[in-house]
């Protein structure tokens, strides 16, 4: 990496879903001291930074994405001292800490929202949120037809202080997550206080939740109510990706620019390349989450398109590409790719592809262990998606089950308390960190090797060259390496060269069908893969 390139341009961000990482106080929920106690593991793995899911004060309706106080730590996770301890301990290991920032909405328990309920219509308190009168003679119909991303209407009617039904407020997510009014300067001022509060404590930046949200189309026109998937492509959806959102990102960037090395990573669910790139202009976000690999089947042509489009999008602004295969909102890739041994083999192959790509990568805790989604019984489900969809959508709990660290049975060293916030499957005994560290053939050992090779790359180039390959395979050169993936039904012959790493067993000079990827240094490859 050249000396003047920012630290995040080739960083490995490790996503810590704090509830599920490590529990230090025996309440069955992960916490900040738990994370601090496991930093050596992250060092061993080769993480450059942590992205910490929300740990601020929250009633936890949406597990922290309903923030009641953005400038304090929820007691469930510890306190400000625990955060300081974590940041210090991470810095001692050259690991940076980035936090989640949730600017689109607050919790309904936030003091602003509580004041808005009491203050009544047309008050300055209500103007911090999006309150409107209802339609129809008695205002009994919601102000427009918008639906919540979690299902059901995006409006809830309040009972006014006089006891009568009154105005409606907007919530693009749960009813306990009222949307802020970004036309109100006070909302900007408060965000600046929050940003500086954490940056002054040594935090290196933020993952910005719903970064394509916040601004709403003027006049709040009706949307075309199509299928409301958890995160649908906004297109011309008046709820998302409205031009004035860029003003908010420029504001955030001006604050971050006061702090050396601070980074803003936006959760931008926008698939049009030019519109996505607009968030990465030099005075907006440093990085934008790129969900194309998450949304792509295990199929060579589609994967190649996803990679090409991702690179083309960031190239429009000379920005850094990012890659991710999973997070706390989507089915784990082992399951997405078919589950069982096939799903795992494909997930390992895709990890190798992702780690070979140029730019920054995001690894979700447990991905390095090859964890699959867990089929949880109805009675333990907690995601608001499950409740708001009336039980039609199971929600995201299955990808959030706590990490198995050690031992032979749940809670596998995650906690002293067997009653973990989501139950852990006994079958994970063979997948614990302890077990996998001792097994050179494990997914964890494979990740460690891949991450080590990745760290050895030089240069910050974002160029990628495709090499001729059989139709069901991908072969690309990047940063001194050649990476091949066989997603087809037949084995393919490997190019000549010294293999650095394979995601599964090689059969002679052949890359086995369906499930294997392979990495070699460019200099030793004399020819492209030959069709058998
Ligand atoms: C995106 C977050 O990743 C998700 O977990 C959350 O439910 C929504 N934003 C709402 O904040």
């Amino acid at each position: 990496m050249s000396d003047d390139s920012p630290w995040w341009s080739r960083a490995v961000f490790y996503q810590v879903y704090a509830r599920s990482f490590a529990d230090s106080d025996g309440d069955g929920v992960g916490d900040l001291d738990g994370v601090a106690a496991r930093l050596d593991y992250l060092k061993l793995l080769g993480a450059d930074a942590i992205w910490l899911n929300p740990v601020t004060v929250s009633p936890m309706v949406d597990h922290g994405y309903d923030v009641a106080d953005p400038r304090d730590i929820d007691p469930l996770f510890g306190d400000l001292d625990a955060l300081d301890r974590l940041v210090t301990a991470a810095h001692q290991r050259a690991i940076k800490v980035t936090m989640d920032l949730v600017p689109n909405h607050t919790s309904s328990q936030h003091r602003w929202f509580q004041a808005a309920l009491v203050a009544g219509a047309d008050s300055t308190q209500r103007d911090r949120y999006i309150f409107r009168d209802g339609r129809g003679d008695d205002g009994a119909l919601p102000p427009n037809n918008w639906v919540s991303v979690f299902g059901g209407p995006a409006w809830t009617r309040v009972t006014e202080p006089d006891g009568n039904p009154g105005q409606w407020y907007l919530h693009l997510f749960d009813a306990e997550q009222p949307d802020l009014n970004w036309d109100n300067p006070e909302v900007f001022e408060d965000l600046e206080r929050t940003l500086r509060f954490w940056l002054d404590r040594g935090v290196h930046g933020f993952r910005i939740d719903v970064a394509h949200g916040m601004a709403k189309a003027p006049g709040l026109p009706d949307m075309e109510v199509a299928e409301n998937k958890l995160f649908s492509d906004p297109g011309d959806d008046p709820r998302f990706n409205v031009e004035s959102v860029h003003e908010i990102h420029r504001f955030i960037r001006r604050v971050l620019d006061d702090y050396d090395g601070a980074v803003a990573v936006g959760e931008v669910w926008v698939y049009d390349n030019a519109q996505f790139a607009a968030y990465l202009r030099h005075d907006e976000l440093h990085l934008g989450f790129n969900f194309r690999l998450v949304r792509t089947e295990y199929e060579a042509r589609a994967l190649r398109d996803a990679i090409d489009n991702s690179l083309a999008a960031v190239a429009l602004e000379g920005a850094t590409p990012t890659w991710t295969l999973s997070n706390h909102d989507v089915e784990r890739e082992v399951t997405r790719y078919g589950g069982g041994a096939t799903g795992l083999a494909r997930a390992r192959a895709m990890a190798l592809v992702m780690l070979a790509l140029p730019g920054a990568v995001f690894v979700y805790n447990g991905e390095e262990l090859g964890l699959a989604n867990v089929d949880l019984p109805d009675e333990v489900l907690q995601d608001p998606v499950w409740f708001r969809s009336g039980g039609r959508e199971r929600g995201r709990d299955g990808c959030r089950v706590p990490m198995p660290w050690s031992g032979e049975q749940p809670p596998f060293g995650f906690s002293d308390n067997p009653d973990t916030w989501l139950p852990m499957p006994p079958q994970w005994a063979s997948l614990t960190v302890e077990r996998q560290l001792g097994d050179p053939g494990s997914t964890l050992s494979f990740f460690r090797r891949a991450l080590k090779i990745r760290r050895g790359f030089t240069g910050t180039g974002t160029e990628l060259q495709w090499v001729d390959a059989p139709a069901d395979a991908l072969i690309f050169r990047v940063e001194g390496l050649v990476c091949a993936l066989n997603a087809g039904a037949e084995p393919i012959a490997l190019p000549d060269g010294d293999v650095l790493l394979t995601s599964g067993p090689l059969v002679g000079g052949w890359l086995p069908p369906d499930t294997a990827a392979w990495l070699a240094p460019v200099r030793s490859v004399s020819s492209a893969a030959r069709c058998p």
Side-chain angles (χ1 to χ4, degrees):
M1 190 185 298
S2 77
D3 285 338
D4 54 356
S5 55
W7 67 268
W8 38 262
S9 62
R10 278 194 57 74
V12 174
F13 287 82
Y14 184 92
Q15 181 188 348
V16 172
Y17 195 67
R19 296 181 76 81
S20 299
F21 194 64
D23 173 22
S24 74
D25 61 5
D27 63 358
V29 181
D31 48 45
L32 291 173
D33 281 338
V35 181
R38 300 287 183 177
L39 283 171
D40 285 335
Y41 169 71
L42 299 185
K43 189 70 200 161
L44 191 75
L45 203 57
D48 300 298
I50 299 171
W51 151 29
L52 204 52
N53 283 105
V55 288
T56 42
V57 177
S58 165
M60 303 291 164
V61 171
D62 189 18
H63 293 331
Y65 285 99
D66 46 325
V67 178
D69 181 350
R71 294 184 285 278
D72 203 355
I73 299 292
D74 195 280
L76 189 65
F77 297 119
D79 54 18
L80 286 170
D81 287 343
L83 191 273
D84 292 343
R85 283 195 294 277
L86 171 62
V87 171
T88 305
H91 288 176
Q92 281 161 356
R93 291 161 180 81
I95 296 175
K96 297 185 167 59
V97 178
T98 62
M99 293 177 78
D100 233 301
L101 185 77
V102 190
N104 181 69
H105 45 265
T106 70
S107 159
S108 56
Q109 297 307 310
H110 190 291
R111 66 184 168 79
W112 275 6
F113 193 74
Q114 290 298 312
L117 291 180
V118 176
D122 301 324
S123 58
T124 51
Q125 288 88 339
R126 285 216 173 162
D127 191 51
R128 293 165 175 153
Y129 293 91
I130 304 178
F131 277 87
R132 293 288 184 276
D133 293 333
R135 289 180 299 181
D137 289 342
D138 53 1
L141 298 172
N144 69 19
N145 72 346
W146 291 8
V147 291
S148 150
V149 173
F150 287 167
W155 296 92
T156 291
R157 193 171 195 187
V158 299
T159 302
E160 297 295 355
D162 63 7
N164 289 317
Q167 287 195 300
W168 298 72
Y169 67 90
L170 179 70
H171 52 87
L172 292 188
F173 295 88
D174 194 83
E176 308 305 325
Q177 294 168 295
D179 278 47
L180 286 162
N181 172 19
W182 279 92
D183 290 329
N184 183 334
E186 214 187 332
V187 174
F188 280 82
E189 284 157 25
D190 193 70
L191 181 74
E192 176 166 357
R193 282 185 63 202
T194 300
L195 294 170
R196 293 194 189 277
F197 182 85
W198 298 113
L199 291 165
D200 286 339
R201 300 188 100 87
V203 162
H204 268 89
F206 304 93
R207 174 267 189 190
I208 302 180
D209 190 58
V210 205
H212 62 309
M214 299 182 274
K216 313 293 187 286
L220 310 182
D222 277 354
M223 63 185 281
E224 276 177 42
V225 185
E227 193 190 2
N228 185 43
K229 292 237 182 72
L230 177 53
F231 293 106
S232 53
D233 186 343
D236 55 5
D237 187 332
R239 302 172 302 169
F240 294 111
N241 194 29
V242 172
E243 183 54 34
S244 55
V245 73
H246 295 288
E247 197 187 307
I248 305 169
H249 288 300
R250 283 191 286 272
F251 175 81
I252 294 174
R253 180 61 178 262
R254 282 197 295 276
V255 177
L256 261 62
D257 281 347
D258 285 346
Y259 297 82
D260 245 10
V263 64
V265 190
E267 184 198 26
V268 183
W269 288 89
V270 172
Y271 296 100
D272 176 85
N273 282 354
Q275 290 186 28
F276 178 80
Y279 288 80
L280 302 174
R281 286 176 284 201
H282 70 98
D283 56 353
E284 298 196 32
L285 294 168
H286 302 87
L287 298 172
F289 266 102
N290 161 25
F291 297 109
R292 286 186 190 274
L293 289 186
V294 170
R295 286 173 42 121
T296 304
E297 304 277 312
Y298 189 79
E299 198 268 302
R301 187 70 241 175
L303 288 167
R304 182 172 166 156
D305 285 350
I307 293 169
D308 275 343
N309 264 302
S310 306
L311 293 172
V314 295
L316 291 173
E317 290 298 333
T320 299
T322 70
W323 311 97
T324 189
L325 291 170
S326 69
N327 62 41
H328 64 293
D329 289 330
V330 298
E331 201 169 36
R332 285 191 179 272
E333 60 268 47
V334 172
T335 307
R336 277 202 327 266
Y337 296 147
T342 302
L344 177 61
R346 291 175 172 178
R348 281 166 67 143
M350 280 304 298
L352 198 53
V353 169
M354 174 175 81
L355 294 175
L357 288 166
V361 297
F362 293 81
V363 175
Y364 175 43
N365 59 203
E367 180 173 348
E368 77 279 18
L369 303 178
L371 299 185
N373 256 51
V374 180
D375 265 334
L376 294 163
D378 293 2
E379 60 277 13
V380 305
L381 296 181
Q382 306 197 12
D383 190 347
V385 172
W386 164 250
F387 299 110
R388 286 191 66 84
S389 70
R392 279 187 307 281
E393 306 230 15
R394 298 196 72 71
R396 302 159 293 177
D397 294 310
C399 69
R400 297 175 174 178
V401 173
M403 287 272 289
W405 290 96
S406 57
E408 297 304 318
Q409 57 205 14
F412 295 121
F414 162 74
S415 172
D416 293 339
N417 186 343
D419 193 16
T420 51
W421 77 276
L422 288 174
M424 303 174 70
Q427 302 84 317
W428 280 7
S430 59
L431 294 178
T432 61
V433 170
E434 180 182 55
R435 187 78 80 88
Q436 295 203 41
L437 278 177
D439 173 4
S442 70
T443 303
L444 178 56
S445 299
F446 163 75
F447 255 88
R448 286 182 64 198
R449 282 202 296 277
L451 286 161
K452 191 162 171 223
I453 293 171
R454 186 187 157 83
R455 272 198 304 284
F457 291 17
T458 52
T460 53
T462 55
E463 272 104 67
L464 174 147
Q465 289 149 10
W466 293 106
V467 176
D468 284 346
D472 292 338
L474 291 181
I475 306 181
F476 59 88
R477 294 174 184 222
V478 62
E479 306 254 357
L481 291 172
V482 179
C483 181
L485 170 83
N486 184 5
E490 301 296 329
I492 61 167
L494 287 175
D496 306 326
D498 310 324
V499 176
L500 286 175
L501 186 59
T502 61
S503 66
L506 277 191
V507 184
W510 299 79
L511 200 53
D514 195 22
T515 54
W518 163 96
L519 199 64
V522 160
R523 65 187 141 67
S524 72
V525 175
S526 58
S527 65
R530 299 171 304 258
C531 290

